[in-house]
PDB file of all heavy atoms in Angstrom:
ATOM      1  N   ARG A 116     205.096  -7.189  69.091  1.00  0.00           N
ATOM      2  CA  ARG A 116     204.113  -6.518  68.238  1.00  0.00           C
ATOM      3  C   ARG A 116     203.733  -5.085  68.779  1.00  0.00           C
ATOM      4  O   ARG A 116     202.891  -4.427  68.164  1.00  0.00           O
ATOM      5  CB  ARG A 116     202.911  -7.341  68.038  1.00  0.00           C
ATOM      6  CG  ARG A 116     203.187  -8.736  67.519  1.00  0.00           C
ATOM      7  CD  ARG A 116     203.781  -8.699  66.111  1.00  0.00           C
ATOM      8  NE  ARG A 116     202.817  -8.252  65.093  1.00  0.00           N
ATOM      9  CZ  ARG A 116     201.945  -9.000  64.468  1.00  0.00           C
ATOM     10  NH1 ARG A 116     201.901 -10.296  64.688  1.00  0.00           N
ATOM     11  NH2 ARG A 116     201.145  -8.501  63.571  1.00  0.00           N
ATOM     12  N   GLU A 118     205.116  -1.413  71.240  1.00  0.00           N
ATOM     13  CA  GLU A 118     206.249  -0.697  71.799  1.00  0.00           C
ATOM     14  C   GLU A 118     206.213  -0.744  73.349  1.00  0.00           C
ATOM     15  O   GLU A 118     206.998  -0.120  73.994  1.00  0.00           O
ATOM     16  CB  GLU A 118     206.234   0.734  71.421  1.00  0.00           C
ATOM     17  CG  GLU A 118     206.415   0.925  69.872  1.00  0.00           C
ATOM     18  CD  GLU A 118     206.484   2.396  69.494  1.00  0.00           C
ATOM     19  OE1 GLU A 118     206.623   3.259  70.400  1.00  0.00           O
ATOM     20  OE2 GLU A 118     206.301   2.650  68.300  1.00  0.00           O
ATOM     21  N   HIS A 119     205.280  -1.527  73.885  1.00  0.00           N
ATOM     22  CA  HIS A 119     205.138  -1.603  75.325  1.00  0.00           C
ATOM     23  C   HIS A 119     205.712  -2.839  75.928  1.00  0.00           C
ATOM     24  O   HIS A 119     206.152  -3.754  75.187  1.00  0.00           O
ATOM     25  CB  HIS A 119     203.625  -1.499  75.625  1.00  0.00           C
ATOM     26  CG  HIS A 119     202.991  -0.214  75.142  1.00  0.00           C
ATOM     27  ND1 HIS A 119     203.613   0.990  75.367  1.00  0.00           N
ATOM     28  CD2 HIS A 119     201.907  -0.003  74.372  1.00  0.00           C
ATOM     29  CE1 HIS A 119     202.893   1.921  74.771  1.00  0.00           C
ATOM     30  NE2 HIS A 119     201.872   1.373  74.168  1.00  0.00           N
ATOM     31  N   LEU A 121     204.309  -4.024  79.364  1.00  0.00           N
ATOM     32  CA  LEU A 121     203.274  -4.639  80.207  1.00  0.00           C
ATOM     33  C   LEU A 121     201.882  -4.162  79.885  1.00  0.00           C
ATOM     34  O   LEU A 121     201.674  -2.904  79.890  1.00  0.00           O
ATOM     35  CB  LEU A 121     203.590  -4.295  81.703  1.00  0.00           C
ATOM     36  CG  LEU A 121     202.567  -4.765  82.765  1.00  0.00           C
ATOM     37  CD1 LEU A 121     202.303  -6.285  82.662  1.00  0.00           C
ATOM     38  CD2 LEU A 121     203.091  -4.462  84.141  1.00  0.00           C
ATOM     39  N   GLY A 123     197.776  -4.801  80.893  1.00  0.00           N
ATOM     40  CA  GLY A 123     197.002  -5.434  82.028  1.00  0.00           C
ATOM     41  C   GLY A 123     195.515  -5.356  81.857  1.00  0.00           C
ATOM     42  O   GLY A 123     194.976  -4.468  81.186  1.00  0.00           O
ATOM     43  N   GLU A 129     191.827  -7.406  75.258  1.00  0.00           N
ATOM     44  CA  GLU A 129     191.454  -6.791  73.977  1.00  0.00           C
ATOM     45  C   GLU A 129     192.615  -7.018  72.972  1.00  0.00           C
ATOM     46  O   GLU A 129     192.414  -7.358  71.839  1.00  0.00           O
ATOM     47  CB  GLU A 129     191.187  -5.265  74.187  1.00  0.00           C
ATOM     48  CG  GLU A 129     190.597  -4.570  72.910  1.00  0.00           C
ATOM     49  CD  GLU A 129     190.613  -3.037  73.115  1.00  0.00           C
ATOM     50  OE1 GLU A 129     190.546  -2.610  74.280  1.00  0.00           O
ATOM     51  OE2 GLU A 129     190.786  -2.393  72.095  1.00  0.00           O
ATOM     52  N   GLU A 133     192.791  -9.091  69.375  1.00  0.00           N
ATOM     53  CA  GLU A 133     193.316  -8.554  68.122  1.00  0.00           C
ATOM     54  C   GLU A 133     194.451  -9.426  67.572  1.00  0.00           C
ATOM     55  O   GLU A 133     194.584  -9.565  66.365  1.00  0.00           O
ATOM     56  CB  GLU A 133     193.835  -7.126  68.322  1.00  0.00           C
ATOM     57  CG  GLU A 133     192.740  -6.194  68.622  1.00  0.00           C
ATOM     58  CD  GLU A 133     193.137  -4.710  68.310  1.00  0.00           C
ATOM     59  OE1 GLU A 133     194.275  -4.488  67.804  1.00  0.00           O
ATOM     60  OE2 GLU A 133     192.285  -3.817  68.614  1.00  0.00           O
ATOM     61  N   VAL A 168     186.959  -2.421 105.737  1.00  0.00           N
ATOM     62  CA  VAL A 168     188.313  -1.923 105.625  1.00  0.00           C
ATOM     63  C   VAL A 168     189.289  -2.730 106.508  1.00  0.00           C
ATOM     64  O   VAL A 168     190.374  -3.077 106.117  1.00  0.00           O
ATOM     65  CB  VAL A 168     188.347  -0.456 106.037  1.00  0.00           C
ATOM     66  CG1 VAL A 168     189.774   0.070 106.199  1.00  0.00           C
ATOM     67  CG2 VAL A 168     187.546   0.377 105.009  1.00  0.00           C
ATOM     68  N   ALA A 171     190.543  -5.890 105.110  1.00  0.00           N
ATOM     69  CA  ALA A 171     191.536  -5.807 104.034  1.00  0.00           C
ATOM     70  C   ALA A 171     192.912  -5.435 104.547  1.00  0.00           C
ATOM     71  O   ALA A 171     193.863  -5.540 103.803  1.00  0.00           O
ATOM     72  CB  ALA A 171     191.047  -4.784 102.994  1.00  0.00           C
ATOM     73  N   SER A 172     192.978  -5.082 105.740  1.00  0.00           N
ATOM     74  CA  SER A 172     194.311  -4.490 106.194  1.00  0.00           C
ATOM     75  C   SER A 172     195.134  -5.563 106.923  1.00  0.00           C
ATOM     76  O   SER A 172     194.927  -5.872 108.057  1.00  0.00           O
ATOM     77  CB  SER A 172     194.066  -3.301 107.163  1.00  0.00           C
ATOM     78  OG  SER A 172     193.354  -3.802 108.294  1.00  0.00           O
ATOM     79  N   TRP A 175     195.336 -10.463 104.876  1.00  0.00           N
ATOM     80  CA  TRP A 175     195.259 -11.409 103.726  1.00  0.00           C
ATOM     81  C   TRP A 175     196.322 -12.448 103.860  1.00  0.00           C
ATOM     82  O   TRP A 175     197.426 -12.202 104.286  1.00  0.00           O
ATOM     83  CB  TRP A 175     195.445 -10.622 102.461  1.00  0.00           C
ATOM     84  CG  TRP A 175     194.421  -9.621 102.205  1.00  0.00           C
ATOM     85  CD1 TRP A 175     193.323  -9.350 102.900  1.00  0.00           C
ATOM     86  CD2 TRP A 175     194.440  -8.726 101.147  1.00  0.00           C
ATOM     87  NE1 TRP A 175     192.648  -8.333 102.410  1.00  0.00           N
ATOM     88  CE2 TRP A 175     193.300  -7.933 101.272  1.00  0.00           C
ATOM     89  CE3 TRP A 175     195.281  -8.487 100.040  1.00  0.00           C
ATOM     90  CZ2 TRP A 175     192.964  -6.904 100.370  1.00  0.00           C
ATOM     91  CZ3 TRP A 175     194.968  -7.498  99.180  1.00  0.00           C
ATOM     92  CH2 TRP A 175     193.824  -6.724  99.296  1.00  0.00           C
ATOM     93  N   ARG A 176     195.955 -13.573 103.454  1.00  0.00           N
ATOM     94  CA  ARG A 176     196.948 -14.697 103.444  1.00  0.00           C
ATOM     95  C   ARG A 176     197.271 -15.027 102.014  1.00  0.00           C
ATOM     96  O   ARG A 176     196.377 -15.094 101.168  1.00  0.00           O
ATOM     97  CB  ARG A 176     196.368 -15.908 104.167  1.00  0.00           C
ATOM     98  CG  ARG A 176     196.403 -15.749 105.672  1.00  0.00           C
ATOM     99  CD  ARG A 176     197.802 -15.834 106.189  1.00  0.00           C
ATOM    100  NE  ARG A 176     197.970 -15.174 107.504  1.00  0.00           N
ATOM    101  CZ  ARG A 176     198.315 -13.951 107.719  1.00  0.00           C
ATOM    102  NH1 ARG A 176     198.619 -13.158 106.714  1.00  0.00           N
ATOM    103  NH2 ARG A 176     198.348 -13.466 108.944  1.00  0.00           N
ATOM    104  N   ARG A 219     191.987 -10.935  95.427  1.00  0.00           N
ATOM    105  CA  ARG A 219     191.043  -9.867  95.147  1.00  0.00           C
ATOM    106  C   ARG A 219     191.826  -8.620  94.787  1.00  0.00           C
ATOM    107  O   ARG A 219     193.067  -8.583  94.811  1.00  0.00           O
ATOM    108  CB  ARG A 219     190.218  -9.599  96.414  1.00  0.00           C
ATOM    109  CG  ARG A 219     189.109 -10.589  96.641  1.00  0.00           C
ATOM    110  CD  ARG A 219     188.331 -10.156  97.845  1.00  0.00           C
ATOM    111  NE  ARG A 219     187.801  -8.803  97.679  1.00  0.00           N
ATOM    112  CZ  ARG A 219     187.424  -8.027  98.673  1.00  0.00           C
ATOM    113  NH1 ARG A 219     187.650  -8.428  99.916  1.00  0.00           N
ATOM    114  NH2 ARG A 219     187.022  -6.833  98.454  1.00  0.00           N
ATOM    115  N   GLY A 221     192.645  -7.017  92.158  1.00  0.00           N
ATOM    116  CA  GLY A 221     193.602  -6.892  91.066  1.00  0.00           C
ATOM    117  C   GLY A 221     195.040  -6.903  91.494  1.00  0.00           C
ATOM    118  O   GLY A 221     195.878  -6.199  90.975  1.00  0.00           O
ATOM    119  N   VAL A 223     198.755  -7.693  91.577  1.00  0.00           N
ATOM    120  CA  VAL A 223     199.766  -8.175  90.638  1.00  0.00           C
ATOM    121  C   VAL A 223     200.974  -8.627  91.420  1.00  0.00           C
ATOM    122  O   VAL A 223     201.440  -7.877  92.274  1.00  0.00           O
ATOM    123  CB  VAL A 223     200.128  -7.004  89.583  1.00  0.00           C
ATOM    124  CG1 VAL A 223     201.112  -7.542  88.574  1.00  0.00           C
ATOM    125  CG2 VAL A 223     198.868  -6.485  88.915  1.00  0.00           C
ATOM    126  N   GLU A 249     205.540 -10.667  96.576  1.00  0.00           N
ATOM    127  CA  GLU A 249     205.867  -9.300  97.031  1.00  0.00           C
ATOM    128  C   GLU A 249     207.317  -9.194  97.437  1.00  0.00           C
ATOM    129  O   GLU A 249     207.927  -8.084  97.289  1.00  0.00           O
ATOM    130  CB  GLU A 249     204.912  -8.922  98.134  1.00  0.00           C
ATOM    131  CG  GLU A 249     203.537  -8.379  97.739  1.00  0.00           C
ATOM    132  CD  GLU A 249     202.632  -9.465  97.093  1.00  0.00           C
ATOM    133  OE1 GLU A 249     202.957 -10.654  97.251  1.00  0.00           O
ATOM    134  OE2 GLU A 249     201.562  -9.092  96.577  1.00  0.00           O
ATOM    135  N   TYR A 258     216.454  -9.259  88.623  1.00  0.00           N
ATOM    136  CA  TYR A 258     217.511  -8.368  88.139  1.00  0.00           C
ATOM    137  C   TYR A 258     218.690  -8.386  89.126  1.00  0.00           C
ATOM    138  O   TYR A 258     219.839  -8.153  88.720  1.00  0.00           O
ATOM    139  CB  TYR A 258     216.973  -6.923  87.987  1.00  0.00           C
ATOM    140  CG  TYR A 258     218.057  -5.993  87.547  1.00  0.00           C
ATOM    141  CD1 TYR A 258     218.651  -6.084  86.369  1.00  0.00           C
ATOM    142  CD2 TYR A 258     218.484  -4.955  88.447  1.00  0.00           C
ATOM    143  CE1 TYR A 258     219.708  -5.296  85.939  1.00  0.00           C
ATOM    144  CE2 TYR A 258     219.520  -4.114  88.081  1.00  0.00           C
ATOM    145  CZ  TYR A 258     220.118  -4.260  86.797  1.00  0.00           C
ATOM    146  OH  TYR A 258     221.127  -3.411  86.462  1.00  0.00           O
ATOM    147  N   ASP A 259     218.415  -8.609  90.408  1.00  0.00           N
ATOM    148  CA  ASP A 259     219.469  -8.543  91.383  1.00  0.00           C
ATOM    149  C   ASP A 259     220.531  -9.609  91.139  1.00  0.00           C
ATOM    150  O   ASP A 259     221.733  -9.411  91.413  1.00  0.00           O
ATOM    151  CB  ASP A 259     218.903  -8.663  92.787  1.00  0.00           C
ATOM    152  CG  ASP A 259     219.835  -8.069  93.862  1.00  0.00           C
ATOM    153  OD1 ASP A 259     220.592  -7.162  93.581  1.00  0.00           O
ATOM    154  OD2 ASP A 259     219.839  -8.573  95.001  1.00  0.00           O
ATOM    155  N   TYR A 266     228.132  -5.961  88.598  1.00  0.00           N
ATOM    156  CA  TYR A 266     228.798  -4.909  89.374  1.00  0.00           C
ATOM    157  C   TYR A 266     229.793  -5.421  90.403  1.00  0.00           C
ATOM    158  O   TYR A 266     230.688  -4.698  90.852  1.00  0.00           O
ATOM    159  CB  TYR A 266     227.779  -4.059  90.094  1.00  0.00           C
ATOM    160  CG  TYR A 266     226.831  -3.358  89.112  1.00  0.00           C
ATOM    161  CD1 TYR A 266     225.427  -3.317  89.363  1.00  0.00           C
ATOM    162  CD2 TYR A 266     227.271  -2.825  87.954  1.00  0.00           C
ATOM    163  CE1 TYR A 266     224.590  -2.705  88.527  1.00  0.00           C
ATOM    164  CE2 TYR A 266     226.391  -2.216  87.008  1.00  0.00           C
ATOM    165  CZ  TYR A 266     225.036  -2.162  87.354  1.00  0.00           C
ATOM    166  OH  TYR A 266     224.188  -1.525  86.480  1.00  0.00           O
TER     167      TYR A 266
ATOM    168  N   ARG B 116     198.098  -0.979 104.241  1.00  0.00           N
ATOM    169  CA  ARG B 116     196.905  -1.692 104.668  1.00  0.00           C
ATOM    170  C   ARG B 116     196.719  -3.062 104.062  1.00  0.00           C
ATOM    171  O   ARG B 116     195.742  -3.730 104.246  1.00  0.00           O
ATOM    172  CB  ARG B 116     195.669  -0.854 104.404  1.00  0.00           C
ATOM    173  CG  ARG B 116     195.717   0.563 105.049  1.00  0.00           C
ATOM    174  CD  ARG B 116     195.762   0.525 106.586  1.00  0.00           C
ATOM    175  NE  ARG B 116     194.484   0.033 107.128  1.00  0.00           N
ATOM    176  CZ  ARG B 116     193.458   0.797 107.367  1.00  0.00           C
ATOM    177  NH1 ARG B 116     193.502   2.069 107.078  1.00  0.00           N
ATOM    178  NH2 ARG B 116     192.367   0.310 107.854  1.00  0.00           N
ATOM    179  N   GLU B 118     198.891  -6.769 102.286  1.00  0.00           N
ATOM    180  CA  GLU B 118     200.154  -7.484 102.202  1.00  0.00           C
ATOM    181  C   GLU B 118     200.707  -7.456 100.778  1.00  0.00           C
ATOM    182  O   GLU B 118     201.702  -8.076 100.432  1.00  0.00           O
ATOM    183  CB  GLU B 118     199.957  -8.970 102.571  1.00  0.00           C
ATOM    184  CG  GLU B 118     199.574  -9.154 104.008  1.00  0.00           C
ATOM    185  CD  GLU B 118     199.470 -10.616 104.374  1.00  0.00           C
ATOM    186  OE1 GLU B 118     199.967 -11.459 103.666  1.00  0.00           O
ATOM    187  OE2 GLU B 118     198.845 -10.862 105.429  1.00  0.00           O
ATOM    188  N   HIS B 119     200.035  -6.622  99.942  1.00  0.00           N
ATOM    189  CA  HIS B 119     200.439  -6.589  98.555  1.00  0.00           C
ATOM    190  C   HIS B 119     201.228  -5.328  98.223  1.00  0.00           C
ATOM    191  O   HIS B 119     201.382  -4.431  99.069  1.00  0.00           O
ATOM    192  CB  HIS B 119     199.232  -6.690  97.655  1.00  0.00           C
ATOM    193  CG  HIS B 119     198.446  -7.926  97.888  1.00  0.00           C
ATOM    194  ND1 HIS B 119     199.061  -9.173  97.945  1.00  0.00           N
ATOM    195  CD2 HIS B 119     197.173  -8.201  98.175  1.00  0.00           C
ATOM    196  CE1 HIS B 119     198.211 -10.109  98.183  1.00  0.00           C
ATOM    197  NE2 HIS B 119     197.018  -9.533  98.334  1.00  0.00           N
ATOM    198  N   LEU B 121     201.313  -4.195  94.448  1.00  0.00           N
ATOM    199  CA  LEU B 121     200.689  -3.567  93.315  1.00  0.00           C
ATOM    200  C   LEU B 121     199.266  -4.044  93.094  1.00  0.00           C
ATOM    201  O   LEU B 121     199.043  -5.259  92.975  1.00  0.00           O
ATOM    202  CB  LEU B 121     201.521  -3.861  92.030  1.00  0.00           C
ATOM    203  CG  LEU B 121     200.987  -3.404  90.692  1.00  0.00           C
ATOM    204  CD1 LEU B 121     200.723  -1.918  90.662  1.00  0.00           C
ATOM    205  CD2 LEU B 121     202.033  -3.783  89.608  1.00  0.00           C
ATOM    206  N   GLY B 123     195.821  -3.332  90.528  1.00  0.00           N
ATOM    207  CA  GLY B 123     195.567  -2.727  89.225  1.00  0.00           C
ATOM    208  C   GLY B 123     194.128  -2.790  88.828  1.00  0.00           C
ATOM    209  O   GLY B 123     193.393  -3.713  89.225  1.00  0.00           O
ATOM    210  N   GLU B 129     188.181  -0.745  93.466  1.00  0.00           N
ATOM    211  CA  GLU B 129     187.393  -1.341  94.550  1.00  0.00           C
ATOM    212  C   GLU B 129     188.042  -1.139  95.871  1.00  0.00           C
ATOM    213  O   GLU B 129     187.429  -0.760  96.904  1.00  0.00           O
ATOM    214  CB  GLU B 129     187.180  -2.849  94.224  1.00  0.00           C
ATOM    215  CG  GLU B 129     186.191  -3.555  95.148  1.00  0.00           C
ATOM    216  CD  GLU B 129     186.257  -5.090  94.968  1.00  0.00           C
ATOM    217  OE1 GLU B 129     186.637  -5.600  93.899  1.00  0.00           O
ATOM    218  OE2 GLU B 129     185.980  -5.755  95.986  1.00  0.00           O
ATOM    219  N   GLU B 133     186.855   0.976  99.262  1.00  0.00           N
ATOM    220  CA  GLU B 133     186.850   0.426 100.641  1.00  0.00           C
ATOM    221  C   GLU B 133     187.669   1.288 101.583  1.00  0.00           C
ATOM    222  O   GLU B 133     187.338   1.436 102.740  1.00  0.00           O
ATOM    223  CB  GLU B 133     187.414  -0.993 100.646  1.00  0.00           C
ATOM    224  CG  GLU B 133     186.516  -1.989  99.953  1.00  0.00           C
ATOM    225  CD  GLU B 133     186.789  -3.418 100.355  1.00  0.00           C
ATOM    226  OE1 GLU B 133     187.658  -3.642 101.220  1.00  0.00           O
ATOM    227  OE2 GLU B 133     186.154  -4.316  99.770  1.00  0.00           O
ATOM    228  N   VAL B 168     195.345  -5.609  63.409  1.00  0.00           N
ATOM    229  CA  VAL B 168     196.564  -6.134  64.034  1.00  0.00           C
ATOM    230  C   VAL B 168     197.803  -5.352  63.606  1.00  0.00           C
ATOM    231  O   VAL B 168     198.648  -5.015  64.422  1.00  0.00           O
ATOM    232  CB  VAL B 168     196.712  -7.634  63.697  1.00  0.00           C
ATOM    233  CG1 VAL B 168     198.069  -8.145  64.156  1.00  0.00           C
ATOM    234  CG2 VAL B 168     195.602  -8.440  64.338  1.00  0.00           C
ATOM    235  N   ALA B 171     198.415  -2.217  65.375  1.00  0.00           N
ATOM    236  CA  ALA B 171     198.916  -2.275  66.708  1.00  0.00           C
ATOM    237  C   ALA B 171     200.404  -2.671  66.800  1.00  0.00           C
ATOM    238  O   ALA B 171     200.989  -2.573  67.838  1.00  0.00           O
ATOM    239  CB  ALA B 171     198.095  -3.290  67.528  1.00  0.00           C
ATOM    240  N   SER B 172     200.954  -3.075  65.715  1.00  0.00           N
ATOM    241  CA  SER B 172     202.274  -3.610  65.829  1.00  0.00           C
ATOM    242  C   SER B 172     203.364  -2.607  65.493  1.00  0.00           C
ATOM    243  O   SER B 172     203.617  -2.280  64.374  1.00  0.00           O
ATOM    244  CB  SER B 172     202.422  -4.807  64.874  1.00  0.00           C
ATOM    245  OG  SER B 172     202.236  -4.372  63.532  1.00  0.00           O
ATOM    246  N   TRP B 175     202.783   2.336  67.425  1.00  0.00           N
ATOM    247  CA  TRP B 175     202.294   3.277  68.450  1.00  0.00           C
ATOM    248  C   TRP B 175     203.321   4.310  68.759  1.00  0.00           C
ATOM    249  O   TRP B 175     204.522   4.040  68.772  1.00  0.00           O
ATOM    250  CB  TRP B 175     201.958   2.535  69.766  1.00  0.00           C
ATOM    251  CG  TRP B 175     200.908   1.518  69.564  1.00  0.00           C
ATOM    252  CD1 TRP B 175     200.189   1.240  68.474  1.00  0.00           C
ATOM    253  CD2 TRP B 175     200.526   0.596  70.580  1.00  0.00           C
ATOM    254  NE1 TRP B 175     199.356   0.240  68.738  1.00  0.00           N
ATOM    255  CE2 TRP B 175     199.513  -0.210  70.001  1.00  0.00           C
ATOM    256  CE3 TRP B 175     200.837   0.406  71.903  1.00  0.00           C
ATOM    257  CZ2 TRP B 175     198.867  -1.234  70.708  1.00  0.00           C
ATOM    258  CZ3 TRP B 175     200.240  -0.627  72.583  1.00  0.00           C
ATOM    259  CH2 TRP B 175     199.239  -1.391  72.007  1.00  0.00           C
ATOM    260  N   ARG B 176     202.854   5.489  69.018  1.00  0.00           N
ATOM    261  CA  ARG B 176     203.764   6.515  69.425  1.00  0.00           C
ATOM    262  C   ARG B 176     203.509   6.897  70.855  1.00  0.00           C
ATOM    263  O   ARG B 176     202.396   6.946  71.309  1.00  0.00           O
ATOM    264  CB  ARG B 176     203.525   7.779  68.514  1.00  0.00           C
ATOM    265  CG  ARG B 176     204.149   7.628  67.142  1.00  0.00           C
ATOM    266  CD  ARG B 176     205.673   7.664  67.221  1.00  0.00           C
ATOM    267  NE  ARG B 176     206.239   7.074  66.017  1.00  0.00           N
ATOM    268  CZ  ARG B 176     206.633   5.757  65.946  1.00  0.00           C
ATOM    269  NH1 ARG B 176     206.502   5.005  66.994  1.00  0.00           N
ATOM    270  NH2 ARG B 176     207.166   5.297  64.883  1.00  0.00           N
ATOM    271  N   ARG B 219     196.082   2.828  74.925  1.00  0.00           N
ATOM    272  CA  ARG B 219     195.134   1.737  74.854  1.00  0.00           C
ATOM    273  C   ARG B 219     195.688   0.489  75.458  1.00  0.00           C
ATOM    274  O   ARG B 219     196.847   0.419  75.902  1.00  0.00           O
ATOM    275  CB  ARG B 219     194.821   1.440  73.364  1.00  0.00           C
ATOM    276  CG  ARG B 219     193.912   2.409  72.702  1.00  0.00           C
ATOM    277  CD  ARG B 219     193.639   2.023  71.264  1.00  0.00           C
ATOM    278  NE  ARG B 219     193.044   0.690  71.258  1.00  0.00           N
ATOM    279  CZ  ARG B 219     193.140  -0.161  70.165  1.00  0.00           C
ATOM    280  NH1 ARG B 219     193.784   0.259  69.092  1.00  0.00           N
ATOM    281  NH2 ARG B 219     192.617  -1.338  70.191  1.00  0.00           N
ATOM    282  N   VAL B 223     200.861  -0.490  81.077  1.00  0.00           N
ATOM    283  CA  VAL B 223     201.413  -0.041  82.349  1.00  0.00           C
ATOM    284  C   VAL B 223     202.818   0.430  82.095  1.00  0.00           C
ATOM    285  O   VAL B 223     203.609  -0.296  81.460  1.00  0.00           O
ATOM    286  CB  VAL B 223     201.362  -1.137  83.364  1.00  0.00           C
ATOM    287  CG1 VAL B 223     201.927  -0.658  84.700  1.00  0.00           C
ATOM    288  CG2 VAL B 223     199.959  -1.732  83.589  1.00  0.00           C
ATOM    289  N   GLU B 249     209.073   2.446  79.113  1.00  0.00           N
ATOM    290  CA  GLU B 249     209.531   1.101  78.775  1.00  0.00           C
ATOM    291  C   GLU B 249     211.050   0.956  78.946  1.00  0.00           C
ATOM    292  O   GLU B 249     211.550  -0.112  79.288  1.00  0.00           O
ATOM    293  CB  GLU B 249     209.105   0.700  77.330  1.00  0.00           C
ATOM    294  CG  GLU B 249     207.667   0.196  77.297  1.00  0.00           C
ATOM    295  CD  GLU B 249     206.610   1.300  77.434  1.00  0.00           C
ATOM    296  OE1 GLU B 249     206.908   2.470  77.427  1.00  0.00           O
ATOM    297  OE2 GLU B 249     205.386   0.888  77.534  1.00  0.00           O
ATOM    298  N   TYR B 258     216.082   1.043  90.589  1.00  0.00           N
ATOM    299  CA  TYR B 258     216.891   0.134  91.428  1.00  0.00           C
ATOM    300  C   TYR B 258     218.343   0.108  90.984  1.00  0.00           C
ATOM    301  O   TYR B 258     219.235  -0.095  91.815  1.00  0.00           O
ATOM    302  CB  TYR B 258     216.305  -1.314  91.376  1.00  0.00           C
ATOM    303  CG  TYR B 258     217.154  -2.303  92.183  1.00  0.00           C
ATOM    304  CD1 TYR B 258     217.247  -2.205  93.550  1.00  0.00           C
ATOM    305  CD2 TYR B 258     217.875  -3.298  91.528  1.00  0.00           C
ATOM    306  CE1 TYR B 258     218.034  -3.055  94.285  1.00  0.00           C
ATOM    307  CE2 TYR B 258     218.685  -4.197  92.275  1.00  0.00           C
ATOM    308  CZ  TYR B 258     218.726  -4.053  93.667  1.00  0.00           C
ATOM    309  OH  TYR B 258     219.505  -4.877  94.396  1.00  0.00           O
ATOM    310  N   ASP B 259     218.605   0.323  89.690  1.00  0.00           N
ATOM    311  CA  ASP B 259     219.937   0.287  89.211  1.00  0.00           C
ATOM    312  C   ASP B 259     220.806   1.327  89.847  1.00  0.00           C
ATOM    313  O   ASP B 259     222.000   1.106  90.043  1.00  0.00           O
ATOM    314  CB  ASP B 259     219.968   0.361  87.672  1.00  0.00           C
ATOM    315  CG  ASP B 259     221.256  -0.185  87.070  1.00  0.00           C
ATOM    316  OD1 ASP B 259     221.780  -1.139  87.606  1.00  0.00           O
ATOM    317  OD2 ASP B 259     221.637   0.331  86.017  1.00  0.00           O
ATOM    318  N   TYR B 266     226.862  -2.316  95.109  1.00  0.00           N
ATOM    319  CA  TYR B 266     227.759  -3.416  94.660  1.00  0.00           C
ATOM    320  C   TYR B 266     229.086  -2.869  94.053  1.00  0.00           C
ATOM    321  O   TYR B 266     230.053  -3.614  94.017  1.00  0.00           O
ATOM    322  CB  TYR B 266     227.074  -4.263  93.587  1.00  0.00           C
ATOM    323  CG  TYR B 266     225.814  -4.931  94.106  1.00  0.00           C
ATOM    324  CD1 TYR B 266     224.689  -4.988  93.289  1.00  0.00           C
ATOM    325  CD2 TYR B 266     225.791  -5.506  95.410  1.00  0.00           C
ATOM    326  CE1 TYR B 266     223.521  -5.623  93.802  1.00  0.00           C
ATOM    327  CE2 TYR B 266     224.619  -6.094  95.847  1.00  0.00           C
ATOM    328  CZ  TYR B 266     223.487  -6.194  95.052  1.00  0.00           C
ATOM    329  OH  TYR B 266     222.373  -6.756  95.517  1.00  0.00           O
TER     330      TYR B 266
END
Side-chain angles (χ1 to χ4, degrees):
Chain A
R116 307 295 293 273
E118 294 184 17
H119 300 312
L121 175 56
E129 189 191 331
E133 291 201 6
V168 170
S172 62
W175 298 355
R176 283 289 159 264
R219 282 182 58 204
V223 181
E249 277 72 9
Y258 177 65
D259 202 30
Y266 301 137
Chain B
R116 306 297 291 276
E118 294 183 18
H119 300 312
L121 175 56
E129 188 191 331
E133 291 200 5
V168 170
S172 63
W175 298 355
R176 283 290 160 265
R219 283 182 57 205
V223 181
E249 277 74 9
Y258 177 65
D259 202 31
Y266 301 137

